[in-house]
Amino acid sequence: MRPREKRRVLNCFAQSKPIPLNDTIKIESGAPYSYTLFRNDKGGYKIVTSFKVGTKSYLPNQTATFPNIGTVKIDSFGYLLFKPFSDTFTGNLPVIRYIINNGLDGSGNGANIYISIVKQGNSEKVIYKQGVILYKENGSLFAQCGDLTLKA
């Protein structure tokens, strides 16, 4: 393939409109947690251009604070970091909406992030840890990553 042809292929990929999909995250209380938002999104090149909690908007790398709960930061590469203030809160955070685009035009598409915080050691609930879903079923522990499920 000549360099010019290769450049065209990459350019087409970058111009395809990204399609964000909603993210549902369940995490254990008390520990910092990171998550990659782009793991389920479709389309070409993606960057986060903003995120919103209620009526307040944030730019990438800014921190949203949830009083008595913790903070959430999302960078332009789609990495979300949740830092709790304590290990006692359980419940749902307010919905976070993020906007992504391909970095070439000003328009973007958005999706919602739903975060539930569950009690530590609650093995009956689904717990996400670094992209792996752990769950208990009929007394057995299972780990799922993408389409792969393993019995522990």
mmCIF file of all heavy atoms in Angstrom, residues 25-45:
data_model
loop_
_atom_site.group_PDB
_atom_site.id
_atom_site.type_symbol
_atom_site.label_atom_id
_atom_site.label_comp_id
_atom_site.label_asym_id
_atom_site.label_seq_id
_atom_site.Cartn_x
_atom_site.Cartn_y
_atom_site.Cartn_z
ATOM 1 N N ILE A 25 -22.593 1.587 35.781
ATOM 2 C CA ILE A 25 -21.442 1.162 36.575
ATOM 3 C C ILE A 25 -21.897 0.901 38.008
ATOM 4 O O ILE A 25 -22.533 1.748 38.615
ATOM 5 C CB ILE A 25 -20.349 2.250 36.587
ATOM 6 C CG1 ILE A 25 -19.998 2.685 35.159
ATOM 7 C CG2 ILE A 25 -19.118 1.777 37.338
ATOM 8 C CD1 ILE A 25 -19.164 3.953 35.105
ATOM 9 N N LYS A 26 -21.576 -0.278 38.536
ATOM 10 C CA LYS A 26 -21.825 -0.587 39.947
ATOM 11 C C LYS A 26 -20.475 -0.850 40.592
ATOM 12 O O LYS A 26 -19.712 -1.682 40.115
ATOM 13 C CB LYS A 26 -22.732 -1.804 40.087
ATOM 14 C CG LYS A 26 -24.142 -1.548 39.635
ATOM 15 C CD LYS A 26 -25.044 -2.716 39.924
ATOM 16 C CE LYS A 26 -26.435 -2.381 39.421
ATOM 17 N NZ LYS A 26 -27.394 -3.432 39.727
ATOM 18 N N ILE A 27 -20.189 -0.111 41.662
ATOM 19 C CA ILE A 27 -18.888 -0.237 42.322
ATOM 20 C C ILE A 27 -19.064 -0.371 43.825
ATOM 21 O O ILE A 27 -20.089 0.026 44.378
ATOM 22 C CB ILE A 27 -17.972 0.967 41.999
ATOM 23 C CG1 ILE A 27 -18.626 2.286 42.409
ATOM 24 C CG2 ILE A 27 -17.642 1.005 40.531
ATOM 25 C CD1 ILE A 27 -17.755 3.499 42.196
ATOM 26 N N GLU A 28 -18.057 -0.943 44.459
ATOM 27 C CA GLU A 28 -18.072 -1.056 45.915
ATOM 28 C C GLU A 28 -17.729 0.282 46.558
ATOM 29 O O GLU A 28 -16.890 1.022 46.050
ATOM 30 C CB GLU A 28 -17.074 -2.108 46.389
ATOM 31 C CG GLU A 28 -17.523 -3.520 46.138
ATOM 32 C CD GLU A 28 -16.610 -4.534 46.791
ATOM 33 O OE1 GLU A 28 -15.443 -4.209 47.093
ATOM 34 O OE2 GLU A 28 -17.073 -5.666 46.988
ATOM 35 N N SER A 29 -18.351 0.558 47.688
ATOM 36 C CA SER A 29 -18.110 1.819 48.397
ATOM 37 C C SER A 29 -16.707 1.855 48.978
ATOM 38 O O SER A 29 -16.108 0.824 49.248
ATOM 39 C CB SER A 29 -19.140 1.998 49.516
ATOM 40 O OG SER A 29 -19.014 0.962 50.465
ATOM 41 N N GLY A 30 -16.191 3.070 49.122
ATOM 42 C CA GLY A 30 -14.969 3.279 49.870
ATOM 43 C C GLY A 30 -13.655 3.282 49.124
ATOM 44 O O GLY A 30 -12.650 3.670 49.678
ATOM 45 N N ALA A 31 -13.606 2.867 47.871
ATOM 46 C CA ALA A 31 -12.327 2.803 47.163
ATOM 47 C C ALA A 31 -12.393 3.616 45.873
ATOM 48 O O ALA A 31 -13.436 3.647 45.225
ATOM 49 C CB ALA A 31 -11.973 1.357 46.839
ATOM 50 N N PRO A 32 -11.295 4.264 45.490
ATOM 51 C CA PRO A 32 -11.278 4.948 44.189
ATOM 52 C C PRO A 32 -11.546 3.932 43.078
ATOM 53 O O PRO A 32 -11.222 2.753 43.207
ATOM 54 C CB PRO A 32 -9.860 5.501 44.090
ATOM 55 C CG PRO A 32 -9.367 5.563 45.481
ATOM 56 C CD PRO A 32 -10.032 4.432 46.206
ATOM 57 N N TYR A 33 -12.122 4.398 42.005
ATOM 58 C CA TYR A 33 -12.507 3.502 40.925
ATOM 59 C C TYR A 33 -12.305 4.202 39.588
ATOM 60 O O TYR A 33 -12.678 5.359 39.426
ATOM 61 C CB TYR A 33 -13.980 3.117 41.088
ATOM 62 C CG TYR A 33 -14.477 2.214 40.002
ATOM 63 C CD1 TYR A 33 -14.200 0.864 40.009
ATOM 64 C CD2 TYR A 33 -15.212 2.737 38.939
ATOM 65 C CE1 TYR A 33 -14.644 0.039 38.997
ATOM 66 C CE2 TYR A 33 -15.655 1.919 37.922
ATOM 67 C CZ TYR A 33 -15.365 0.565 37.961
ATOM 68 O OH TYR A 33 -15.794 -0.243 36.958
ATOM 69 N N SER A 34 -11.704 3.507 38.616
ATOM 70 C CA SER A 34 -11.540 4.077 37.277
ATOM 71 C C SER A 34 -12.301 3.219 36.267
ATOM 72 O O SER A 34 -12.479 2.012 36.465
ATOM 73 C CB SER A 34 -10.064 4.170 36.900
ATOM 74 O OG SER A 34 -9.484 2.893 36.875
ATOM 75 N N TYR A 35 -12.732 3.861 35.193
ATOM 76 C CA TYR A 35 -13.571 3.203 34.189
ATOM 77 C C TYR A 35 -13.311 3.870 32.848
ATOM 78 O O TYR A 35 -13.100 5.074 32.782
ATOM 79 C CB TYR A 35 -15.047 3.367 34.593
ATOM 80 C CG TYR A 35 -16.034 2.724 33.666
ATOM 81 C CD1 TYR A 35 -16.332 1.368 33.769
ATOM 82 C CD2 TYR A 35 -16.688 3.467 32.698
ATOM 83 C CE1 TYR A 35 -17.257 0.773 32.927
ATOM 84 C CE2 TYR A 35 -17.616 2.879 31.847
ATOM 85 C CZ TYR A 35 -17.893 1.531 31.972
ATOM 86 O OH TYR A 35 -18.811 0.935 31.133
ATOM 87 N N THR A 36 -13.344 3.104 31.772
ATOM 88 C CA THR A 36 -13.157 3.637 30.427
ATOM 89 C C THR A 36 -14.514 3.765 29.744
ATOM 90 O O THR A 36 -15.162 2.754 29.457
ATOM 91 C CB THR A 36 -12.234 2.713 29.601
ATOM 92 O OG1 THR A 36 -11.012 2.551 30.297
ATOM 93 C CG2 THR A 36 -11.966 3.306 28.233
ATOM 94 N N LEU A 37 -14.938 4.989 29.479
ATOM 95 C CA LEU A 37 -16.248 5.224 28.872
ATOM 96 C C LEU A 37 -16.346 4.708 27.441
ATOM 97 O O LEU A 37 -17.413 4.294 27.007
ATOM 98 C CB LEU A 37 -16.575 6.725 28.875
ATOM 99 C CG LEU A 37 -16.724 7.358 30.256
ATOM 100 C CD1 LEU A 37 -16.867 8.870 30.120
ATOM 101 C CD2 LEU A 37 -17.908 6.766 30.990
ATOM 102 N N PHE A 38 -15.251 4.726 26.705
ATOM 103 C CA PHE A 38 -15.294 4.357 25.286
ATOM 104 C C PHE A 38 -15.382 2.853 25.054
ATOM 105 O O PHE A 38 -15.494 2.405 23.918
ATOM 106 C CB PHE A 38 -14.074 4.908 24.543
ATOM 107 C CG PHE A 38 -13.989 6.409 24.521
ATOM 108 C CD1 PHE A 38 -12.790 7.021 24.236
ATOM 109 C CD2 PHE A 38 -15.084 7.209 24.785
ATOM 110 C CE1 PHE A 38 -12.685 8.411 24.200
ATOM 111 C CE2 PHE A 38 -14.999 8.590 24.760
ATOM 112 C CZ PHE A 38 -13.792 9.193 24.465
ATOM 113 N N ARG A 39 -15.346 2.052 26.104
ATOM 114 C CA ARG A 39 -15.340 0.595 25.961
ATOM 115 C C ARG A 39 -16.538 0.067 25.181
ATOM 116 O O ARG A 39 -16.437 -0.959 24.526
ATOM 117 C CB ARG A 39 -15.260 -0.072 27.326
ATOM 118 C CG ARG A 39 -16.514 0.134 28.152
ATOM 119 C CD ARG A 39 -16.499 -0.403 29.577
ATOM 120 N NE ARG A 39 -15.819 -1.646 29.683
ATOM 121 C CZ ARG A 39 -14.873 -1.894 30.573
ATOM 122 N NH1 ARG A 39 -14.537 -0.978 31.442
ATOM 123 N NH2 ARG A 39 -14.289 -3.056 30.618
ATOM 124 N N ASN A 40 -17.680 0.718 25.247
ATOM 125 C CA ASN A 40 -18.855 0.231 24.525
ATOM 126 C C ASN A 40 -19.324 1.174 23.422
ATOM 127 O O ASN A 40 -20.294 0.888 22.746
ATOM 128 C CB ASN A 40 -20.004 -0.046 25.504
ATOM 129 C CG ASN A 40 -20.517 1.218 26.159
ATOM 130 O OD1 ASN A 40 -19.817 2.219 26.236
ATOM 131 N ND2 ASN A 40 -21.742 1.181 26.649
ATOM 132 N N ASP A 41 -18.640 2.295 23.235
ATOM 133 C CA ASP A 41 -19.046 3.254 22.212
ATOM 134 C C ASP A 41 -18.631 2.776 20.823
ATOM 135 O O ASP A 41 -17.700 2.006 20.671
ATOM 136 C CB ASP A 41 -18.443 4.634 22.497
ATOM 137 C CG ASP A 41 -18.975 5.229 23.796
ATOM 138 O OD1 ASP A 41 -20.015 4.749 24.284
ATOM 139 O OD2 ASP A 41 -18.349 6.157 24.311
ATOM 140 N N LYS A 42 -19.335 3.240 19.825
ATOM 141 C CA LYS A 42 -19.092 2.824 18.438
ATOM 142 C C LYS A 42 -18.497 3.993 17.648
ATOM 143 O O LYS A 42 -18.501 5.123 18.085
ATOM 144 C CB LYS A 42 -20.411 2.389 17.780
ATOM 145 C CG LYS A 42 -21.201 1.368 18.561
ATOM 146 C CD LYS A 42 -20.521 0.044 18.604
ATOM 147 C CE LYS A 42 -21.394 -0.967 19.322
ATOM 148 N NZ LYS A 42 -20.671 -1.983 19.994
ATOM 149 N N GLY A 43 -18.037 3.692 16.448
ATOM 150 C CA GLY A 43 -17.536 4.728 15.548
ATOM 151 C C GLY A 43 -16.033 4.885 15.621
ATOM 152 O O GLY A 43 -15.331 4.110 16.255
ATOM 153 N N GLY A 44 -15.569 5.913 14.947
ATOM 154 C CA GLY A 44 -14.137 6.156 14.819
ATOM 155 C C GLY A 44 -13.535 6.849 16.017
ATOM 156 O O GLY A 44 -13.924 6.627 17.157
ATOM 157 N N TYR A 45 -12.605 7.737 15.748
ATOM 158 C CA TYR A 45 -11.862 8.463 16.772
ATOM 159 C C TYR A 45 -12.821 9.208 17.693
ATOM 160 O O TYR A 45 -13.801 9.801 17.239
ATOM 161 C CB TYR A 45 -10.904 9.437 16.083
ATOM 162 C CG TYR A 45 -10.063 10.221 17.035
ATOM 163 C CD1 TYR A 45 -8.962 9.633 17.648
ATOM 164 C CD2 TYR A 45 -10.367 11.541 17.328
ATOM 165 C CE1 TYR A 45 -8.176 10.345 18.539
ATOM 166 C CE2 TYR A 45 -9.592 12.263 18.214
ATOM 167 C CZ TYR A 45 -8.501 11.661 18.815
ATOM 168 O OH TYR A 45 -7.736 12.368 19.697
#
